Amino acid sequence: MTFNELGLSEKVLQAVEASGYKTPTPIQAQAIPHALAGRDVLGIAQTGTGKTAAFTLPMLSRLEQGRARARMPRTLILEPTRELAAQVEESFIRYGVNHKLNVALLIGGVSFADQETKITRGADILIATPGRLLDFSERGKLLLTGIEILVIDEADRMLDMGFIPDIERICKLVPFTRQTLFFSATMPPEITRLTETFLHNPVRIEVARAASTAITIVQGLVASATGPAKRETLRRLIRDAADFKNAIIFCNRKRDVAVLHKSLQKHGFNAGALHGDMDQRARMASLDAFKTGDVDLIVCSDVAARGLDIPDVSHVFNFDVPTHAEDYVHRIGRTGRAGKSGVAISIVTRADQKHILEIERLIARKIDWLSKETIAELDVEDAPEAPSSPSKGARSRRAPHARDENKRAESSDAPQRGERPAPTRSRRRAEHPHAALAPVEALTEAKTATQAKTATEAKAAPVRRRPAPRPDDDDAPVVGMGDHVPMFLRRPVKAKPTKVAG
Ligand code: AMP
């Protein structure tokens, strides 16, 4: 199958050729002829399948007839994030080089004035995030009654981000007779309901990510203690990574993205960050720096990274194991694209075990442990160490107490260039919780006698109980009973006054 057989216009075909694409991807081959014929399309496809071109190319062909009017865009593409919207704009510019069409971008975080000028001039293609679009429409600066084609992209992500009510409102503002092209990686019930309400007799196209892509990703788990030790585990994994080109590092929380980003920079790593609290300009600058190779690490939250087309990523590190198994699939799908090989490593703490089980259930396979240490062995991390004896302390795997750990965070997280500096006593104390982890290259080595002895000694040591971590202490290691401390043991019990007879 070639692009010539799909019915696209000559101008579009020339642009596709200039992009270097030879054959359409399955979603393109199946969706483009229907989209050109004016049918509604329900595309179940994730990023990386070529779905952007599957709607961009037929839209450009169809837009060759007709003209835009002031404040009345002809087509509307809804994207869940600003970065995705900007990426789709890039696609329209690339594939639309031979057209004279006006493209406008309506996203939060950039000035209203420039956006308004473009809309007022008349946009053939409007790409928007739902919030900013409704803002414009409610202020009367935009009329959606001229929309001929509506695209809803990454619908399941819109659901995750709470945009479905906005999408429903927007669907009611556009003409009933428009064509709708709807894309979602998964079809949860809320999304199915949305398609039943707003699509008219759609062609359903479902494409899986090519199996050859999936098997090009080597996945692995590395056990680690929490806190500064976890950051050191990551630094070691980055330093030891074979065939490293660049990496995306995922955190579960926005604020952890910022903390980890700063820490990596402090340690001399060339890192950028991407999270929802950064202003739009900073987010775009970060993404561009990563795409062009100015930085080779980018620390992200899930929302910020979803759907981003960052070709050719060699490594994905889950600094935090995702709490939703689907996010794991999306995260690791950033590497091993288009037949290239990739590595995805997750740093696992004791509290993450249940999430790993859920992930393994979802992907229907076990993920190998890359460290000699397993989570079960981290159970003994609270064994007391002899503080006066650094050599003994260095062999023990005792995790520092959460409070001490916070106090020590600065010194233990201090930069090290190249090789680690000669350990001082305080550094040894901070490093040793994960010092027993094997470098990735040494995965197949058997345990040395010393390591086996260390493990036995540590296991034999008495386990000291510690109170459950404070709720705001995210990095505190969970040891002992942890969350399983019965409630009556956690709170002081007030004695009930009892009635005394007589
Ligand atoms: P998407 O799923 O739209 O994010 O696209 C994923 C990547 O595939 C992008 O880098 C596109 O430039 C690329 N791509 C899209 N269509 C094709 C094609 N037919 N042949 C080769 N690469 C493509």
Side-chain angles (χ1 to χ4, degrees):
M1 160 82 68
T2 65
F3 278 102
N4 289 323
E5 297 164 54
L6 300 178
L8 291 163
S9 75
E10 202 44 50
K11 284 180 184 172
V12 171
L13 287 174
Q14 280 168 12
V16 169
E17 202 182 329
S19 298
Y21 301 161
K22 299 276 180 280
T23 42
T25 65
I27 185 88
Q28 291 163 1
Q30 293 174 67
I32 290 173
H34 293 295
L36 284 171
R39 287 282 302 270
D40 279 7
V41 171
L42 166 57
I44 305 168
Q46 61 188 85
T47 313
T49 54
K51 71 176 165 63
T52 315
F55 63 81
T56 312
L57 303 181
M59 283 174 79
L60 284 166
S61 283
R62 296 199 61 198
L63 282 166
E64 285 172 18
Q65 317 295 327
R67 285 199 56 196
R69 286 192 284 161
R71 289 176 202 275
M72 287 180 71
R74 299 169 66 197
T75 60
L76 171 63
I77 297 124
L78 294 172
E79 294 289 337
T81 66
R82 300 159 184 185
E83 284 78 11
L84 275 170
Q87 218 162 268
V88 170
E89 184 192 30
E90 271 173 31
S91 287
F92 272 106
I93 292 170
R94 175 150 43 117
Y95 305 130
V97 283
N98 305 318
H99 296 74
K100 284 200 177 63
L101 297 170
N102 294 329
V103 184
L105 191 61
L106 267 191
I107 52 176
V110 288
S111 99
F112 264 75
D114 293 353
Q115 298 181 340
E116 196 184 342
T117 313
K118 281 196 171 174
I119 305 276
T120 311
R121 220 191 296 145
D124 296 284
I125 299 147
L126 177 61
I127 306 154
T129 49
R132 183 57 71 102
L133 181 88
L134 284 170
D135 244 12
F136 260 74
S137 151
E138 276 155 18
R139 289 174 194 213
K141 296 186 183 304
L142 170 71
L143 279 171
L144 295 176
T145 47
I147 298 290
E148 299 159 29
I149 306 174
L150 169 69
V151 178
I152 300 172
D153 195 16
E154 302 264 339
D156 52 350
R157 201 57 181 175
M158 302 265 200
L159 173 71
D160 290 350
M161 295 172 73
F163 285 150
I164 296 303
D166 285 353
I167 300 294
E168 287 176 331
R169 279 175 60 202
I170 295 166
C171 284
K172 287 174 189 157
L173 293 171
V174 297
F176 181 77
T177 50
R178 93 260 158 190
Q179 177 186 14
T180 309
L181 309 174
F182 189 104
F183 295 88
S184 191
T186 57
M187 289 298 288
E190 296 91 331
I191 296 297
T192 305
R193 187 183 56 76
L194 200 67
T195 60
E196 285 164 358
T197 317
F198 294 110
L199 296 187
H200 305 303
N201 187 25
V203 184
R204 184 184 165 108
I205 300 161
E206 194 160 350
V207 296
R209 191 174 263 276
S212 59
T213 307
I215 55 169
T216 58
I217 305 173
V218 177
Q219 302 173 55
L221 306 175
V222 169
S224 173
T226 53
K230 196 175 175 191
R231 291 194 283 273
E232 168 55 22
T233 302
L234 175 70
R235 293 195 291 272
R236 190 176 48 70
L237 287 169
I238 298 169
R239 286 191 202 109
D240 293 348
D243 297 326
F244 181 87
K245 177 173 179 278
N246 54 5
I248 306 184
I249 302 162
F250 284 97
C251 293
N252 288 352
R253 286 169 292 244
K254 281 189 275 196
R255 72 188 148 123
D256 292 343
V257 170
V259 171
L260 183 61
H261 175 220
K262 259 200 200 130
S263 163
L264 285 168
Q265 283 186 323
K266 211 167 71 174
H267 283 265
F269 288 92
N270 197 7
L274 204 62
H275 62 77
D277 284 348
M278 290 163 66
D279 70 41
Q280 181 58 17
R281 199 183 291 242
R283 284 161 69 160
M284 295 305 235
S286 268
L287 189 58
D288 278 351
F290 188 70
K291 279 186 174 175
T292 56
D294 286 347
V295 299
D296 50 17
L297 300 173
I298 191 159
V299 190
C300 297
S301 59
D302 289 288
V303 166
R306 182 46 106 64
L308 290 185
D309 176 29
I310 306 171
D312 222 6
V313 174
S314 69
H315 285 67
V316 168
F317 294 107
N318 286 321
F319 180 72
D320 296 315
V321 172
T323 51
H324 298 293
E326 297 85 35
D327 283 337
Y328 178 84
V329 179
H330 286 295
R331 286 181 182 188
I332 74 161
R334 321 264 96 228
T335 187
R337 289 182 150 203
K340 295 206 170 74
S341 62
V343 178
I345 302 180
S346 304
I347 302 178
V348 186
T349 67
R350 286 192 54 208
D352 298 324
Q353 290 178 87
K354 62 174 186 294
H355 300 309
I356 292 294
L357 291 178
E358 281 158 17
I359 289 165
E360 289 179 334
R361 236 194 319 270
L362 181 76
I363 64 173
R365 55 165 285 195
K366 283 255 164 235
I367 311 172
D368 293 333
W369 285 96
L370 302 185
S371 54
K372 286 174 184 151
E373 214 71 0
T374 65
I375 281 295
E377 287 169 298
L378 286 178
D379 284 1
V380 296
E381 67 188 12
D382 206 29
E385 96 185 292
S388 57
S389 158
S391 60
K392 212 174 169 192
R395 287 193 313 172
S396 135
R397 291 192 302 265
R398 173 186 173 272
H401 186 283
R403 278 175 197 278
D404 300 348
E405 191 172 86
N406 287 342
K407 259 194 259 156
R408 278 199 302 270
E410 275 307 300
S411 65
S412 62
D413 211 23
Q416 309 153 31
R417 285 211 161 261
E419 287 300 308
R420 291 182 205 167
T424 59
R425 185 180 295 189
S426 70
R427 177 172 298 286
R428 271 203 194 97
R429 279 164 57 86
E431 275 184 349
H432 69 244
H434 59 85
L437 295 181
V440 177
E441 289 98 318
L443 303 175
T444 49
E445 277 175 24
K447 274 190 177 177
T448 63
T450 331
Q451 281 164 331
K453 190 166 162 253
T454 311
T456 322
E457 277 171 10
K459 267 181 187 140
V463 175
R464 200 184 55 196
R465 292 274 176 242
R466 184 167 61 194
R470 300 186 304 279
D472 61 343
D473 204 357
D474 292 326
D475 275 344
V478 180
V479 293
M481 283 192 281
D483 288 343
H484 307 296
V485 177
M487 286 311 283
F488 72 87
L489 283 181
R490 293 192 197 181
R491 291 200 222 110
V493 180
K494 273 192 191 146
K496 258 192 184 170
T498 42
K499 272 191 180 168
V500 181

